[in-house]
Amino acid sequence: MLVDSHCHLDLIKNSNPDTLIAAAHAQGVSHFLNVSIALDHFPTLLSIAQRIDNVFASVGIHPNTSSDMTVDVKTLKTMANDPNVIAIGETGLDYFRSQGDLTWQHQRFRTHIQAAKEVGKPLIIHSRDAAQDTLRILREENAVAIGGVMHCFVEDWETAQQAMEMGFYISFSGIVTFKNAKALQAVAKQVPLDRMLVETDAPYLAPVPYRGKTNQPAYVKHVAQFIADLREETFEKIANVTTENFFRLFSSATT
Ligand code: NI
């Protein structure tokens, strides 16, 4: 059993969710968190989650999304009310693709944290070139009360530790398999097994040996296998612990 803790099924071109999920099942991938990046994507995500077993949805707005700038807590909470919605996000900060006055990005991040705490569903955090501010806002908004996952983690060990102290899990994507990702591989070796998740972030960031191609949930197997080799553990061990972690964190997900 293996879980893809972060994918975007609706963004994978020239394919459909049913085919992608069938291909993943054939590789032993059984559960999926299909992550929202904008509110107008949400109805599609919800209908996929309602229709296909073991595909869950989140509700949230990606930090780089330029629509939904002034979303309020109530809107997010209402959308998150469905039992197929198990998380709030992805939200966070991205200083790589957004520049200038980012007050709106900070405010929207705080709104997501508030909604997550009120609705009792964990956060999915996207952070790029913004680790210090991300941690600061999580602290200021008392995100420890709800926890969540640092998705597609690429930061250093210090950042991982600070996030874990606030109850966050660390999720590794295909980036960890890249040849030039030595620093990240060192972090993946150190993160306690009971705090680790794996993901594809499909259609982006396909792991080796599919690097540069369109990613899909089936390929999460290659992320788990790489981490198993790195840590000198069996594939089954990494698959089992990351699956257990997923259900511990997203406790509203039921099989
Ligand atoms: Ni994503």
Side-chain angles (χ1 to χ4, degrees), residues 16 28-29 37 67 97 102 106 134 177 186 193 197-198 214 218 246:
N16 69 67
V29 186
I37 58 163
S67 59
R97 281 184 289 176
L102 296 178
H106 289 201
T134 301
T177 70
L193 284 180
L197 295 175
V198 287
T214 301
F246 180 85

Side-chain angles (χ1 to χ4, degrees), residues 6 8 35 37 62 90 126 151 199 201 204:
H6 189 119
H8 303 280
V35 175
I37 58 163
H62 189 286
E90 54 185 292
H126 169 110
H151 121 79
E199 64 171 82
D201 204 14
Y204 314 110

Side-chain angles (χ1 to χ4, degrees), residues 1 15 23 43 72 84 97 122 126 142 151 156 158 173 177 250:
M1 213 166 151
S15 201
D72 57 24
N84 292 287
R97 281 184 289 176
H126 169 110
N142 194 34
H151 121 79
D156 60 10
E158 172 98 308
S173 69
T177 70
F250 301 109

Side-chain angles (χ1 to χ4, degrees), residues 7 12 19 21 52 83 87 97 130 135 137 144 163 175 201 235 239 250:
C7 58
I12 303 173
T19 312
I21 297 304
I52 308 179
R97 281 184 289 176
L135 292 169
I137 290 175
V144 68
I175 293 177
D201 204 14
F235 171 80
F250 301 109

Side-chain angles (χ1 to χ4, degrees), residues 99-165:
Q99 279 105 29
D101 181 0
L102 296 178
T103 309
W104 59 273
Q105 206 180 67
H106 289 201
Q107 191 47 52
R108 194 165 65 182
F109 183 24
R110 291 182 195 274
T111 301
H112 280 78
I113 299 169
Q114 194 59 41
K117 289 194 296 184
E118 289 185 25
V119 82
K121 295 182 180 181
L123 288 155
I124 303 166
I125 305 296
H126 169 110
S127 178
R128 188 158 180 201
D129 290 356
Q132 287 318 308
D133 284 359
T134 301
L135 292 169
R136 177 176 57 79
I137 290 175
L138 287 172
R139 228 172 262 125
E140 286 172 1
E141 297 295 329
N142 194 34
V144 68
I146 187 65
V149 54
M150 306 301 283
H151 121 79
C152 194
F153 190 81
V154 290
E155 306 294 341
D156 60 10
W157 173 240
E158 172 98 308
T159 304
Q161 273 181 309
Q162 290 183 42
M164 288 189 286
E165 278 164 22

